[in-house]
Each structure stands twice: as structure tokens, then as C-alpha cells.
Amino acid sequence: MSSILLLSIRPEYANKIFDSNKTVELRRVRPRLLNEGDLVLIYVSSPIKAVLGSFKVDSIMEKPPRELWEEVKDKAGISKGKFNDYYQGTSKGIGIFFKDIHRFREPVELQSLRKKLPELKPPQSYRYMTDKQLKIVKSLGECSR
């Protein structure tokens, strides 16, 4: 069974994903149920506060930060300094490589999400979603106003 993940990403990094300047998402903790081929919805955090699109997981890498940097330095859209700050004090880093990036026609703003899915809270990092929740988010993102 595949998972659907709602992943919170800062605006600067989300923009790099949609501009194809970033092909790996870095995390300190691996989402346990996330595997190759799973769908990830991109929730862009404050000040945007909206789901802007999705991607499919191509592969997931877990390595010590020094080794991970060698694999992702040209793909992560982040400086070595910020990378080192992010992984300070951790023994391993996670790289979620992705493909099939899809940007919704319309941003799915937090207010719209709350009206249709009051139980869905934006994640600090990530949260899993149901097929029903995905269907609603996709319908909101693909409709034209």
C-alpha cells in the first residue's frame, strides 16, 4: 500500500522544486511509511500557507551528513553552511529524491483546506493523508476560479 504524505516546505525551497533547481528534499527524520513511488503533497509554510503541488518519491537515501552532502550538494538547493547547520548534532541525514513534479493550477490555501477538511492541520514537518483527503485537495488545486 502506498503512502500519501503532506510535507511542509519553506517557500524558498518549494520555489526551487517548482523551478527544477532542487531535486532532493532534505530531512533529519525519515517518514517511516514513505517509500519509492509514494506521492508527496507540497505544503508551503508561512507566509504562503498553501498546498502548491506534488511530487513522486524516486528514492530515499540515509547517510551520515558528510556523505549525504557529497551526494546532494548540486541537487538540494542549499549552501554547505546551511546544510551543516541543519544537520548539526545528528548522525544521519535523509535525502528524499523526487520526480514527476506537478504544480496545481490554483494554490490550495489553508482557509480552503480547513473548510473542506477541518480535521487536517498543516504539519510542522509532515503528516500522512487518506485517499479521500488527497482527492479533495487535488480537486481544489485543479479547479479554476
PDB file of all heavy atoms in Angstrom, residues 11-47:
ATOM      1  N   PRO A  11       9.007  28.332   1.801  1.00  0.00           N
ATOM      2  CA  PRO A  11       8.771  28.910   0.463  1.00  0.00           C
ATOM      3  C   PRO A  11      10.006  28.924  -0.443  1.00  0.00           C
ATOM      4  O   PRO A  11       9.896  28.571  -1.620  1.00  0.00           O
ATOM      5  CB  PRO A  11       8.290  30.328   0.765  1.00  0.00           C
ATOM      6  CG  PRO A  11       7.662  30.234   2.114  1.00  0.00           C
ATOM      7  CD  PRO A  11       8.472  29.202   2.866  1.00  0.00           C
ATOM      8  N   GLU A  12      11.171  29.303   0.087  1.00  0.00           N
ATOM      9  CA  GLU A  12      12.359  29.389  -0.773  1.00  0.00           C
ATOM     10  C   GLU A  12      12.711  28.038  -1.388  1.00  0.00           C
ATOM     11  O   GLU A  12      13.139  27.957  -2.544  1.00  0.00           O
ATOM     12  CB  GLU A  12      13.552  29.976  -0.028  1.00  0.00           C
ATOM     13  CG  GLU A  12      14.086  29.102   1.085  1.00  0.00           C
ATOM     14  CD  GLU A  12      15.315  29.684   1.772  1.00  0.00           C
ATOM     15  OE1 GLU A  12      16.361  29.827   1.103  1.00  0.00           O
ATOM     16  OE2 GLU A  12      15.211  29.978   2.977  1.00  0.00           O
ATOM     17  N   TYR A  13      12.527  26.960  -0.630  1.00  0.00           N
ATOM     18  CA  TYR A  13      12.864  25.628  -1.145  1.00  0.00           C
ATOM     19  C   TYR A  13      11.761  25.083  -2.047  1.00  0.00           C
ATOM     20  O   TYR A  13      12.044  24.389  -3.029  1.00  0.00           O
ATOM     21  CB  TYR A  13      13.181  24.674   0.005  1.00  0.00           C
ATOM     22  CG  TYR A  13      14.370  25.171   0.805  1.00  0.00           C
ATOM     23  CD1 TYR A  13      14.236  25.549   2.125  1.00  0.00           C
ATOM     24  CD2 TYR A  13      15.616  25.302   0.210  1.00  0.00           C
ATOM     25  CE1 TYR A  13      15.325  26.034   2.847  1.00  0.00           C
ATOM     26  CE2 TYR A  13      16.715  25.790   0.913  1.00  0.00           C
ATOM     27  CZ  TYR A  13      16.556  26.154   2.233  1.00  0.00           C
ATOM     28  OH  TYR A  13      17.627  26.642   2.924  1.00  0.00           O
ATOM     29  N   ALA A  14      10.518  25.399  -1.734  1.00  0.00           N
ATOM     30  CA  ALA A  14       9.408  24.983  -2.606  1.00  0.00           C
ATOM     31  C   ALA A  14       9.565  25.621  -3.987  1.00  0.00           C
ATOM     32  O   ALA A  14       9.378  24.960  -5.013  1.00  0.00           O
ATOM     33  CB  ALA A  14       8.072  25.366  -1.985  1.00  0.00           C
ATOM     34  N   ASN A  15       9.941  26.904  -4.020  1.00  0.00           N
ATOM     35  CA  ASN A  15      10.149  27.576  -5.306  1.00  0.00           C
ATOM     36  C   ASN A  15      11.243  26.888  -6.109  1.00  0.00           C
ATOM     37  O   ASN A  15      11.121  26.725  -7.328  1.00  0.00           O
ATOM     38  CB  ASN A  15      10.494  29.055  -5.098  1.00  0.00           C
ATOM     39  CG  ASN A  15       9.295  29.859  -4.656  1.00  0.00           C
ATOM     40  OD1 ASN A  15       8.152  29.505  -4.926  1.00  0.00           O
ATOM     41  ND2 ASN A  15       9.551  30.953  -3.954  1.00  0.00           N
ATOM     42  N   LYS A  16      12.302  26.462  -5.443  1.00  0.00           N
ATOM     43  CA  LYS A  16      13.387  25.773  -6.141  1.00  0.00           C
ATOM     44  C   LYS A  16      12.928  24.426  -6.701  1.00  0.00           C
ATOM     45  O   LYS A  16      13.383  24.008  -7.762  1.00  0.00           O
ATOM     46  CB  LYS A  16      14.591  25.581  -5.212  1.00  0.00           C
ATOM     47  CG  LYS A  16      15.297  26.889  -4.912  1.00  0.00           C
ATOM     48  CD  LYS A  16      16.460  26.698  -3.965  1.00  0.00           C
ATOM     49  CE  LYS A  16      17.115  28.043  -3.677  1.00  0.00           C
ATOM     50  NZ  LYS A  16      18.341  27.924  -2.910  1.00  0.00           N
ATOM     51  N   ILE A  17      12.014  23.759  -5.996  1.00  0.00           N
ATOM     52  CA  ILE A  17      11.462  22.495  -6.501  1.00  0.00           C
ATOM     53  C   ILE A  17      10.696  22.755  -7.790  1.00  0.00           C
ATOM     54  O   ILE A  17      10.916  22.097  -8.806  1.00  0.00           O
ATOM     55  CB  ILE A  17      10.538  21.828  -5.452  1.00  0.00           C
ATOM     56  CG1 ILE A  17      11.374  21.290  -4.281  1.00  0.00           C
ATOM     57  CG2 ILE A  17       9.708  20.706  -6.098  1.00  0.00           C
ATOM     58  CD1 ILE A  17      10.538  20.812  -3.098  1.00  0.00           C
ATOM     59  N   PHE A  18       9.793  23.743  -7.764  1.00  0.00           N
ATOM     60  CA  PHE A  18       8.965  24.010  -8.941  1.00  0.00           C
ATOM     61  C   PHE A  18       9.760  24.615 -10.097  1.00  0.00           C
ATOM     62  O   PHE A  18       9.358  24.511 -11.246  1.00  0.00           O
ATOM     63  CB  PHE A  18       7.769  24.885  -8.564  1.00  0.00           C
ATOM     64  CG  PHE A  18       6.766  24.157  -7.713  1.00  0.00           C
ATOM     65  CD1 PHE A  18       6.507  24.576  -6.420  1.00  0.00           C
ATOM     66  CD2 PHE A  18       6.100  23.037  -8.192  1.00  0.00           C
ATOM     67  CE1 PHE A  18       5.582  23.903  -5.626  1.00  0.00           C
ATOM     68  CE2 PHE A  18       5.182  22.348  -7.402  1.00  0.00           C
ATOM     69  CZ  PHE A  18       4.927  22.789  -6.123  1.00  0.00           C
ATOM     70  N   ASP A  19      10.906  25.237  -9.790  1.00  0.00           N
ATOM     71  CA  ASP A  19      11.780  25.776 -10.832  1.00  0.00           C
ATOM     72  C   ASP A  19      12.799  24.742 -11.318  1.00  0.00           C
ATOM     73  O   ASP A  19      13.681  25.066 -12.101  1.00  0.00           O
ATOM     74  CB  ASP A  19      12.549  27.001 -10.306  1.00  0.00           C
ATOM     75  CG  ASP A  19      11.642  28.186 -10.030  1.00  0.00           C
ATOM     76  OD1 ASP A  19      10.508  28.207 -10.547  1.00  0.00           O
ATOM     77  OD2 ASP A  19      12.066  29.087  -9.277  1.00  0.00           O
ATOM     78  N   SER A  20      12.715  23.525 -10.786  1.00  0.00           N
ATOM     79  CA  SER A  20      13.633  22.419 -11.122  1.00  0.00           C
ATOM     80  C   SER A  20      15.081  22.694 -10.717  1.00  0.00           C
ATOM     81  O   SER A  20      16.008  22.134 -11.305  1.00  0.00           O
ATOM     82  CB  SER A  20      13.554  22.080 -12.611  1.00  0.00           C
ATOM     83  OG  SER A  20      12.249  21.685 -12.940  1.00  0.00           O
ATOM     84  N   ASN A  21      15.285  23.541  -9.719  1.00  0.00           N
ATOM     85  CA  ASN A  21      16.629  23.810  -9.205  1.00  0.00           C
ATOM     86  C   ASN A  21      16.932  22.977  -7.967  1.00  0.00           C
ATOM     87  O   ASN A  21      17.980  23.154  -7.350  1.00  0.00           O
ATOM     88  CB  ASN A  21      16.783  25.300  -8.863  1.00  0.00           C
ATOM     89  CG  ASN A  21      16.731  26.160 -10.101  1.00  0.00           C
ATOM     90  OD1 ASN A  21      17.247  25.782 -11.141  1.00  0.00           O
ATOM     91  ND2 ASN A  21      16.079  27.297 -10.009  1.00  0.00           N
ATOM     92  N   LYS A  22      16.008  22.118  -7.602  1.00  0.00           N
ATOM     93  CA  LYS A  22      16.149  21.266  -6.419  1.00  0.00           C
ATOM     94  C   LYS A  22      15.482  19.941  -6.750  1.00  0.00           C
ATOM     95  O   LYS A  22      14.329  19.916  -7.163  1.00  0.00           O
ATOM     96  CB  LYS A  22      15.452  21.965  -5.243  1.00  0.00           C
ATOM     97  CG  LYS A  22      15.412  21.199  -3.945  1.00  0.00           C
ATOM     98  CD  LYS A  22      14.759  22.092  -2.876  1.00  0.00           C
ATOM     99  CE  LYS A  22      14.343  21.342  -1.662  1.00  0.00           C
ATOM    100  NZ  LYS A  22      15.435  20.875  -0.832  1.00  0.00           N
ATOM    101  N   THR A  23      16.226  18.845  -6.576  1.00  0.00           N
ATOM    102  CA  THR A  23      15.660  17.525  -6.906  1.00  0.00           C
ATOM    103  C   THR A  23      15.751  16.557  -5.736  1.00  0.00           C
ATOM    104  O   THR A  23      15.522  15.364  -5.902  1.00  0.00           O
ATOM    105  CB  THR A  23      16.370  16.921  -8.134  1.00  0.00           C
ATOM    106  OG1 THR A  23      17.767  16.839  -7.856  1.00  0.00           O
ATOM    107  CG2 THR A  23      16.120  17.748  -9.388  1.00  0.00           C
ATOM    108  N   VAL A  24      16.085  17.084  -4.563  1.00  0.00           N
ATOM    109  CA  VAL A  24      16.118  16.256  -3.358  1.00  0.00           C
ATOM    110  C   VAL A  24      15.669  17.109  -2.182  1.00  0.00           C
ATOM    111  O   VAL A  24      16.068  18.265  -2.056  1.00  0.00           O
ATOM    112  CB  VAL A  24      17.525  15.638  -3.109  1.00  0.00           C
ATOM    113  CG1 VAL A  24      18.589  16.707  -2.933  1.00  0.00           C
ATOM    114  CG2 VAL A  24      17.506  14.695  -1.918  1.00  0.00           C
ATOM    115  N   GLU A  25      14.814  16.549  -1.352  1.00  0.00           N
ATOM    116  CA  GLU A  25      14.351  17.216  -0.132  1.00  0.00           C
ATOM    117  C   GLU A  25      15.114  16.615   1.031  1.00  0.00           C
ATOM    118  O   GLU A  25      15.205  15.399   1.171  1.00  0.00           O
ATOM    119  CB  GLU A  25      12.843  17.014   0.042  1.00  0.00           C
ATOM    120  CG  GLU A  25      12.275  17.558   1.321  1.00  0.00           C
ATOM    121  CD  GLU A  25      12.427  19.064   1.518  1.00  0.00           C
ATOM    122  OE1 GLU A  25      12.674  19.801   0.535  1.00  0.00           O
ATOM    123  OE2 GLU A  25      12.314  19.504   2.671  1.00  0.00           O
ATOM    124  N   LEU A  26      15.670  17.481   1.859  1.00  0.00           N
ATOM    125  CA  LEU A  26      16.472  17.036   2.997  1.00  0.00           C
ATOM    126  C   LEU A  26      15.631  17.008   4.263  1.00  0.00           C
ATOM    127  O   LEU A  26      14.842  17.919   4.502  1.00  0.00           O
ATOM    128  CB  LEU A  26      17.668  17.973   3.191  1.00  0.00           C
ATOM    129  CG  LEU A  26      18.601  18.081   1.995  1.00  0.00           C
ATOM    130  CD1 LEU A  26      19.658  19.149   2.258  1.00  0.00           C
ATOM    131  CD2 LEU A  26      19.248  16.746   1.683  1.00  0.00           C
ATOM    132  N   ARG A  27      15.835  15.964   5.057  1.00  0.00           N
ATOM    133  CA  ARG A  27      15.114  15.808   6.325  1.00  0.00           C
ATOM    134  C   ARG A  27      16.051  15.248   7.374  1.00  0.00           C
ATOM    135  O   ARG A  27      16.990  14.522   7.063  1.00  0.00           O
ATOM    136  CB  ARG A  27      13.916  14.854   6.159  1.00  0.00           C
ATOM    137  CG  ARG A  27      12.828  15.408   5.250  1.00  0.00           C
ATOM    138  CD  ARG A  27      12.058  16.472   5.968  1.00  0.00           C
ATOM    139  NE  ARG A  27      11.567  17.494   5.070  1.00  0.00           N
ATOM    140  CZ  ARG A  27      10.550  18.299   5.353  1.00  0.00           C
ATOM    141  NH1 ARG A  27       9.910  18.194   6.492  1.00  0.00           N
ATOM    142  NH2 ARG A  27      10.193  19.228   4.506  1.00  0.00           N
ATOM    143  N   ARG A  28      15.755  15.555   8.612  1.00  0.00           N
ATOM    144  CA  ARG A  28      16.516  14.993   9.733  1.00  0.00           C
ATOM    145  C   ARG A  28      15.925  13.648  10.161  1.00  0.00           C
ATOM    146  O   ARG A  28      16.616  12.825  10.725  1.00  0.00           O
ATOM    147  CB  ARG A  28      16.503  15.967  10.908  1.00  0.00           C
ATOM    148  CG  ARG A  28      17.328  17.210  10.654  1.00  0.00           C
ATOM    149  CD  ARG A  28      17.133  18.258  11.736  1.00  0.00           C
ATOM    150  NE  ARG A  28      17.522  17.794  13.048  1.00  0.00           N
ATOM    151  CZ  ARG A  28      18.642  18.114  13.669  1.00  0.00           C
ATOM    152  NH1 ARG A  28      19.497  18.933  13.098  1.00  0.00           N
ATOM    153  NH2 ARG A  28      18.913  17.650  14.869  1.00  0.00           N
ATOM    154  N   VAL A  29      14.621  13.473   9.892  1.00  0.00           N
ATOM    155  CA  VAL A  29      13.916  12.257  10.285  1.00  0.00           C
ATOM    156  C   VAL A  29      13.231  11.679   9.051  1.00  0.00           C
ATOM    157  O   VAL A  29      12.581  12.411   8.297  1.00  0.00           O
ATOM    158  CB  VAL A  29      12.860  12.567  11.374  1.00  0.00           C
ATOM    159  CG1 VAL A  29      12.044  11.337  11.711  1.00  0.00           C
ATOM    160  CG2 VAL A  29      13.526  13.138  12.612  1.00  0.00           C
ATOM    161  N   ARG A  30      13.365  10.380   8.875  1.00  0.00           N
ATOM    162  CA  ARG A  30      12.697   9.731   7.735  1.00  0.00           C
ATOM    163  C   ARG A  30      11.246   9.434   8.092  1.00  0.00           C
ATOM    164  O   ARG A  30      10.975   8.784   9.109  1.00  0.00           O
ATOM    165  CB  ARG A  30      13.403   8.419   7.387  1.00  0.00           C
ATOM    166  CG  ARG A  30      12.713   7.738   6.219  1.00  0.00           C
ATOM    167  CD  ARG A  30      13.273   6.374   5.925  1.00  0.00           C
ATOM    168  NE  ARG A  30      12.432   5.739   4.919  1.00  0.00           N
ATOM    169  CZ  ARG A  30      12.881   5.021   3.925  1.00  0.00           C
ATOM    170  NH1 ARG A  30      14.170   4.811   3.796  1.00  0.00           N
ATOM    171  NH2 ARG A  30      12.054   4.470   3.061  1.00  0.00           N
ATOM    172  N   PRO A  31      10.311   9.869   7.245  1.00  0.00           N
ATOM    173  CA  PRO A  31       8.927   9.428   7.438  1.00  0.00           C
ATOM    174  C   PRO A  31       8.884   7.903   7.299  1.00  0.00           C
ATOM    175  O   PRO A  31       9.256   7.362   6.260  1.00  0.00           O
ATOM    176  CB  PRO A  31       8.158  10.128   6.311  1.00  0.00           C
ATOM    177  CG  PRO A  31       9.021  11.305   5.945  1.00  0.00           C
ATOM    178  CD  PRO A  31      10.431  10.829   6.156  1.00  0.00           C
ATOM    179  N   ARG A  32       8.489   7.208   8.354  1.00  0.00           N
ATOM    180  CA  ARG A  32       8.575   5.743   8.406  1.00  0.00           C
ATOM    181  C   ARG A  32       7.866   5.036   7.261  1.00  0.00           C
ATOM    182  O   ARG A  32       8.332   4.025   6.779  1.00  0.00           O
ATOM    183  CB  ARG A  32       7.980   5.233   9.721  1.00  0.00           C
ATOM    184  CG  ARG A  32       8.913   5.318  10.881  1.00  0.00           C
ATOM    185  CD  ARG A  32       8.416   4.472  12.036  1.00  0.00           C
ATOM    186  NE  ARG A  32       6.984   4.467  12.187  1.00  0.00           N
ATOM    187  CZ  ARG A  32       6.302   5.200  13.061  1.00  0.00           C
ATOM    188  NH1 ARG A  32       6.934   5.992  13.878  1.00  0.00           N
ATOM    189  NH2 ARG A  32       4.995   5.128  13.135  1.00  0.00           N
ATOM    190  N   LEU A  33       6.713   5.547   6.874  1.00  0.00           N
ATOM    191  CA  LEU A  33       5.910   4.839   5.875  1.00  0.00           C
ATOM    192  C   LEU A  33       6.166   5.298   4.447  1.00  0.00           C
ATOM    193  O   LEU A  33       5.456   4.905   3.534  1.00  0.00           O
ATOM    194  CB  LEU A  33       4.418   5.001   6.209  1.00  0.00           C
ATOM    195  CG  LEU A  33       4.000   4.539   7.606  1.00  0.00           C
ATOM    196  CD1 LEU A  33       2.525   4.831   7.837  1.00  0.00           C
ATOM    197  CD2 LEU A  33       4.300   3.077   7.824  1.00  0.00           C
ATOM    198  N   LEU A  34       7.154   6.142   4.249  1.00  0.00           N
ATOM    199  CA  LEU A  34       7.419   6.687   2.920  1.00  0.00           C
ATOM    200  C   LEU A  34       8.371   5.778   2.145  1.00  0.00           C
ATOM    201  O   LEU A  34       9.420   5.389   2.649  1.00  0.00           O
ATOM    202  CB  LEU A  34       8.032   8.091   3.042  1.00  0.00           C
ATOM    203  CG  LEU A  34       8.112   8.888   1.748  1.00  0.00           C
ATOM    204  CD1 LEU A  34       6.716   9.216   1.229  1.00  0.00           C
ATOM    205  CD2 LEU A  34       8.904  10.168   1.961  1.00  0.00           C
ATOM    206  N   ASN A  35       7.993   5.458   0.903  1.00  0.00           N
ATOM    207  CA  ASN A  35       8.787   4.580   0.044  1.00  0.00           C
ATOM    208  C   ASN A  35       8.817   5.101  -1.384  1.00  0.00           C
ATOM    209  O   ASN A  35       8.049   6.007  -1.732  1.00  0.00           O
ATOM    210  CB  ASN A  35       8.196   3.163   0.047  1.00  0.00           C
ATOM    211  CG  ASN A  35       8.299   2.524   1.417  1.00  0.00           C
ATOM    212  OD1 ASN A  35       9.391   2.301   1.921  1.00  0.00           O
ATOM    213  ND2 ASN A  35       7.168   2.260   2.037  1.00  0.00           N
ATOM    214  N   GLU A  36       9.656   4.491  -2.202  1.00  0.00           N
ATOM    215  CA  GLU A  36       9.721   4.844  -3.619  1.00  0.00           C
ATOM    216  C   GLU A  36       8.337   4.741  -4.238  1.00  0.00           C
ATOM    217  O   GLU A  36       7.591   3.805  -3.952  1.00  0.00           O
ATOM    218  CB  GLU A  36      10.677   3.911  -4.356  1.00  0.00           C
ATOM    219  CG  GLU A  36      12.125   4.123  -3.991  1.00  0.00           C
ATOM    220  CD  GLU A  36      13.048   3.147  -4.699  1.00  0.00           C
ATOM    221  OE1 GLU A  36      12.646   2.534  -5.709  1.00  0.00           O
ATOM    222  OE2 GLU A  36      14.182   2.992  -4.218  1.00  0.00           O
ATOM    223  N   GLY A  37       7.999   5.723  -5.083  1.00  0.00           N
ATOM    224  CA  GLY A  37       6.720   5.714  -5.778  1.00  0.00           C
ATOM    225  C   GLY A  37       5.595   6.382  -5.021  1.00  0.00           C
ATOM    226  O   GLY A  37       4.531   6.633  -5.597  1.00  0.00           O
ATOM    227  N   ASP A  38       5.788   6.697  -3.741  1.00  0.00           N
ATOM    228  CA  ASP A  38       4.726   7.349  -2.959  1.00  0.00           C
ATOM    229  C   ASP A  38       4.545   8.798  -3.407  1.00  0.00           C
ATOM    230  O   ASP A  38       5.457   9.420  -3.953  1.00  0.00           O
ATOM    231  CB  ASP A  38       5.044   7.308  -1.464  1.00  0.00           C
ATOM    232  CG  ASP A  38       4.849   5.922  -0.863  1.00  0.00           C
ATOM    233  OD1 ASP A  38       4.264   5.042  -1.535  1.00  0.00           O
ATOM    234  OD2 ASP A  38       5.272   5.721   0.286  1.00  0.00           O
ATOM    235  N   LEU A  39       3.364   9.329  -3.138  1.00  0.00           N
ATOM    236  CA  LEU A  39       3.023  10.698  -3.506  1.00  0.00           C
ATOM    237  C   LEU A  39       3.246  11.626  -2.320  1.00  0.00           C
ATOM    238  O   LEU A  39       2.859  11.307  -1.194  1.00  0.00           O
ATOM    239  CB  LEU A  39       1.549  10.771  -3.946  1.00  0.00           C
ATOM    240  CG  LEU A  39       1.082  12.142  -4.428  1.00  0.00           C
ATOM    241  CD1 LEU A  39       1.750  12.494  -5.764  1.00  0.00           C
ATOM    242  CD2 LEU A  39      -0.431  12.158  -4.587  1.00  0.00           C
ATOM    243  N   VAL A  40       3.862  12.773  -2.599  1.00  0.00           N
ATOM    244  CA  VAL A  40       4.087  13.789  -1.576  1.00  0.00           C
ATOM    245  C   VAL A  40       3.426  15.084  -2.035  1.00  0.00           C
ATOM    246  O   VAL A  40       3.708  15.569  -3.134  1.00  0.00           O
ATOM    247  CB  VAL A  40       5.594  14.025  -1.340  1.00  0.00           C
ATOM    248  CG1 VAL A  40       5.818  15.180  -0.371  1.00  0.00           C
ATOM    249  CG2 VAL A  40       6.267  12.753  -0.827  1.00  0.00           C
ATOM    250  N   LEU A  41       2.525  15.602  -1.202  1.00  0.00           N
ATOM    251  CA  LEU A  41       1.930  16.918  -1.462  1.00  0.00           C
ATOM    252  C   LEU A  41       2.812  17.963  -0.812  1.00  0.00           C
ATOM    253  O   LEU A  41       3.250  17.793   0.328  1.00  0.00           O
ATOM    254  CB  LEU A  41       0.516  16.994  -0.883  1.00  0.00           C
ATOM    255  CG  LEU A  41      -0.535  16.154  -1.586  1.00  0.00           C
ATOM    256  CD1 LEU A  41      -1.860  16.235  -0.847  1.00  0.00           C
ATOM    257  CD2 LEU A  41      -0.722  16.600  -3.024  1.00  0.00           C
ATOM    258  N   ILE A  42       3.048  19.050  -1.520  1.00  0.00           N
ATOM    259  CA  ILE A  42       3.931  20.107  -1.038  1.00  0.00           C
ATOM    260  C   ILE A  42       3.104  21.210  -0.396  1.00  0.00           C
ATOM    261  O   ILE A  42       2.422  21.977  -1.078  1.00  0.00           O
ATOM    262  CB  ILE A  42       4.767  20.681  -2.196  1.00  0.00           C
ATOM    263  CG1 ILE A  42       5.599  19.564  -2.851  1.00  0.00           C
ATOM    264  CG2 ILE A  42       5.656  21.822  -1.704  1.00  0.00           C
ATOM    265  CD1 ILE A  42       6.210  19.960  -4.180  1.00  0.00           C
ATOM    266  N   TYR A  43       3.165  21.254   0.961  1.00  0.00           N
ATOM    267  CA  TYR A  43       2.535  22.343   1.709  1.00  0.00           C
ATOM    268  C   TYR A  43       3.621  23.392   1.956  1.00  0.00           C
ATOM    269  O   TYR A  43       4.639  23.101   2.575  1.00  0.00           O
ATOM    270  CB  TYR A  43       1.972  21.858   3.048  1.00  0.00           C
ATOM    271  CG  TYR A  43       1.456  22.993   3.899  1.00  0.00           C
ATOM    272  CD1 TYR A  43       0.206  23.551   3.637  1.00  0.00           C
ATOM    273  CD2 TYR A  43       2.221  23.532   4.920  1.00  0.00           C
ATOM    274  CE1 TYR A  43      -0.257  24.619   4.386  1.00  0.00           C
ATOM    275  CE2 TYR A  43       1.762  24.604   5.674  1.00  0.00           C
ATOM    276  CZ  TYR A  43       0.519  25.146   5.402  1.00  0.00           C
ATOM    277  OH  TYR A  43       0.073  26.211   6.143  1.00  0.00           O
ATOM    278  N   VAL A  44       3.401  24.590   1.438  1.00  0.00           N
ATOM    279  CA  VAL A  44       4.377  25.663   1.598  1.00  0.00           C
ATOM    280  C   VAL A  44       4.007  26.453   2.849  1.00  0.00           C
ATOM    281  O   VAL A  44       2.896  26.954   2.979  1.00  0.00           O
ATOM    282  CB  VAL A  44       4.432  26.552   0.344  1.00  0.00           C
ATOM    283  CG1 VAL A  44       5.501  27.621   0.500  1.00  0.00           C
ATOM    284  CG2 VAL A  44       4.713  25.698  -0.890  1.00  0.00           C
ATOM    285  N   SER A  45       4.969  26.512   3.762  1.00  0.00           N
ATOM    286  CA  SER A  45       4.720  27.122   5.073  1.00  0.00           C
ATOM    287  C   SER A  45       4.581  28.644   4.971  1.00  0.00           C
ATOM    288  O   SER A  45       4.646  29.230   3.889  1.00  0.00           O
ATOM    289  CB  SER A  45       5.827  26.722   6.040  1.00  0.00           C
ATOM    290  OG  SER A  45       7.081  27.133   5.539  1.00  0.00           O
ATOM    291  N   SER A  46       4.438  29.264   6.119  1.00  0.00           N
ATOM    292  CA  SER A  46       4.223  30.707   6.249  1.00  0.00           C
ATOM    293  C   SER A  46       5.305  31.491   5.499  1.00  0.00           C
ATOM    294  O   SER A  46       6.459  31.078   5.503  1.00  0.00           O
ATOM    295  CB  SER A  46       4.255  31.051   7.736  1.00  0.00           C
ATOM    296  OG  SER A  46       3.864  32.366   7.936  1.00  0.00           O
ATOM    297  N   PRO A  47       4.982  32.544   4.826  1.00  0.00           N
ATOM    298  CA  PRO A  47       3.688  33.240   4.808  1.00  0.00           C
ATOM    299  C   PRO A  47       2.711  32.735   3.743  1.00  0.00           C
ATOM    300  O   PRO A  47       1.590  33.216   3.666  1.00  0.00           O
ATOM    301  CB  PRO A  47       4.092  34.692   4.522  1.00  0.00           C
ATOM    302  CG  PRO A  47       5.274  34.553   3.612  1.00  0.00           C
ATOM    303  CD  PRO A  47       6.009  33.315   4.096  1.00  0.00           C
TER     304      PRO A  47
END
